[in-house]
Amino acid sequence: MLNVRVSFTDKYNEEETHFLTCNNPYFQMIQRAINKNINIRDEYDLNEHDRKDIYWPTLKHIDLNLQEYKKKNHLLDFNDLITQAIESNKIPRFKAIFIDEAQDLSPLQWKLYDKLKEHCDDMYLAGDDDQAIFAWAGADVNRFIKEPANEKVLRYSRRVSKTVQQQAQIAVDRISGIRKHKEYLPRDEEGHTQFISNLGQVDLTTGKWLILTRTKSNLLDIAKELKSKNIYFQTNKGKSFHVGMYNAAMAYTKWIREGRLEDKEINDVRDFIPNGNWNPEKNWYDIFVGDQKEILYIRNIISGGEKLSENARVWLSTIHAAKGGEEDNVILSLQQGSKVQKSIRLSVDKQDEENRVWYVGITRARNNLYKLKAKKILKEYQL
């Protein structure tokens, strides 16, 4: 009735954050306010959103009715469970509690931390403020930095090479706000880093690669380019080809060779030969009905020697979704995007978070880092 489109998960980034589980700006703002432990009007008045996306009367209406809907239907979301735990008088006594990725805790989760701290002998927080990249969704890195504790800094990186470490230092040196000073020593591996203008300057046909982008739109552009180059790759959404078509192609090839198939294999093939005119004299790509570009793509990557039943050697991801991941060779697209650049002009905190995002992107590389230049230098993060 309000003409507001909602889908439960963001198509390309459902693993980006545990804070936001919906790609609609109204519901994202509501969740952000809850995570920050502030009311919805205060979150709206921060003016950190695109004014074209959110209309206050609609936001207020959705917020009130969402609360009413959950109450009426006895429904709880993840943040409701946290609130219940904070208000509970049934928390048992713990000998020790360990919290990993503590730099990503939201103010609401810090309230739970304070509650749990009263019920345990020892509390351990593990995290890295330089990797705090979810402030946009409600995380409170300053609380993590300021939290009184006996601190132990791990000085040795088990991941990055010397050249990658030097690049990472460029990003963190730009953080002007609160930061815990630390020095990580790289692995005893020189590594390699260079600028590239296009993907054709690296050989993606051998070795393992992780390609990282700052934005979803850039990810989609690179995905199209990889397909045009007949590169088999994966994203968080799965493999780059039509898996059903590939399975049907393998089944049809088996039928030509052996003359028989399992029931499931027959059904797989039927989806692409709806008229039922199977012909043992023709290859699958000559007889299948479907997207001809996809048929050609699958045919080309098979002939290129890739094992499509296995995971791809090339992975494509946004920086946020790749947090925690790593690879020997990383291509980091320096394309920032207009929305990101507009956002970081709002405050020093936004600029600091942006530098942390690029630090995370750089440090996904174990050995070699290739910096893919943006088509327009004004749209580029400078490394």
Side-chain angles (χ1 to χ4, degrees), residues 5 9 28 33 41 83 86 104 151 163 190 211 232 261:
R5 285 184 174 274
T9 54
Q28 285 190 342
R41 183 73 213 200
T83 301
I86 292 169
D104 291 333
E151 296 181 353
T163 54
E190 191 61 33
I211 304 175
Y232 165 39
L261 293 177

Side-chain angles (χ1 to χ4, degrees), residues 42 52 90 118 188 224 255 273 289 323 344 346 358:
D42 289 342
K52 295 179 293 184
K90 299 179 180 179
E118 299 171 359
D188 189 21
K224 289 178 184 176
W255 173 74
I273 312 181
V289 174
K323 190 171 180 290
I344 61 178
L346 292 173
W358 291 98

Side-chain angles (χ1 to χ4, degrees), residues 19 35-36 103-107 110 132-141:
F19 291 125
N35 283 312
K36 292 179 180 179
Q103 78 279 350
D104 291 333
L105 294 181
S106 69
W110 279 111
I133 61 175
F134 292 119
W136 61 273
D140 183 2
V141 63

